[in-house]
Amino acid sequence: MGSRVLIISNANELVRVKPERVVYVKSDGNYSTMVLHDKTEHVFTMNLAHCQELIEKQLGKEAETFIRIGKQLIINREYIFKINVNSQTLIMSDMALNQAFSLQASKEALKQLKAYMESKAGKEEKL
């Protein structure tokens, strides 16, 4: 990613963060929680659609790094470590630190994500 900075603000708070530090954004109704690679969390009073809109508007082409999964998650695909459709689990990690994030998502959402990641792998050999 480039040197862009994502700025998210609401009535009480403004956060500036490099997009590559964002692991995922999880929504709970009108609240969205942004979780960074160091497990820092920032809660905003905005729904996930608004959050997605901000990311796309501010990052342009770089916003493709972020993928909406179902109704409650936006993830940074650079952190995808493991997709387990049967257990409905998505493990996010930067593969350098001992930090891992375990997220739950629907089987359908994970099947779509798995297919998307396989298509992005292109000509790389699959194990």
Side-chain angles (χ1 to χ4, degrees):
M1 283 192 196
S3 59
R4 289 192 182 205
V5 174
L6 184 60
I7 298 172
I8 299 183
S9 71
N10 59 22
N12 302 316
E13 188 174 36
L14 180 140
V15 174
R16 291 179 70 238
V17 64
K18 291 186 178 207
E20 61 268 22
R21 294 179 185 235
V22 178
V23 179
Y24 66 93
V25 181
K26 186 171 186 147
S27 171
D28 184 12
N30 287 328
Y31 293 91
S32 293
T33 304
M34 175 188 289
V35 180
L36 305 182
H37 71 295
D38 61 0
K39 297 201 174 183
T40 304
E41 294 186 2
H42 300 282
V43 179
F44 299 98
T45 51
M46 67 178 71
N47 62 28
L48 202 60
H50 185 74
C51 202
Q52 184 176 13
E53 216 174 83
L54 282 174
I55 290 170
E56 290 169 357
K57 198 180 293 181
Q58 292 183 32
L59 300 183
K61 185 99 172 112
E62 289 179 32
E64 292 176 7
T65 302
F66 294 92
I67 304 168
R68 174 97 182 238
I69 306 290
K71 295 177 183 176
Q72 295 182 320
L73 278 174
I74 296 174
I75 62 168
N76 183 335
R77 72 176 180 198
E78 299 298 318
Y79 286 89
I80 296 171
F81 177 69
K82 182 179 180 181
I83 300 169
N84 188 320
V85 176
N86 287 337
S87 69
Q88 296 179 276
T89 307
L90 174 62
I91 306 294
M92 306 289 286
S93 172
D94 68 359
M95 297 176 230
L97 298 171
N98 292 327
Q99 305 255 27
F101 304 84
S102 181
L103 305 172
Q104 297 297 307
S106 71
K107 283 188 179 185
E108 191 53 42
L110 291 176
K111 278 182 189 173
Q112 290 174 8
L113 178 61
K114 184 175 178 288
Y116 171 79
M117 293 304 291
E118 288 171 344
S119 73
K120 281 291 184 192
K123 295 183 173 99
E124 293 176 24
E125 276 189 55
K126 292 180 201 149
L127 298 175

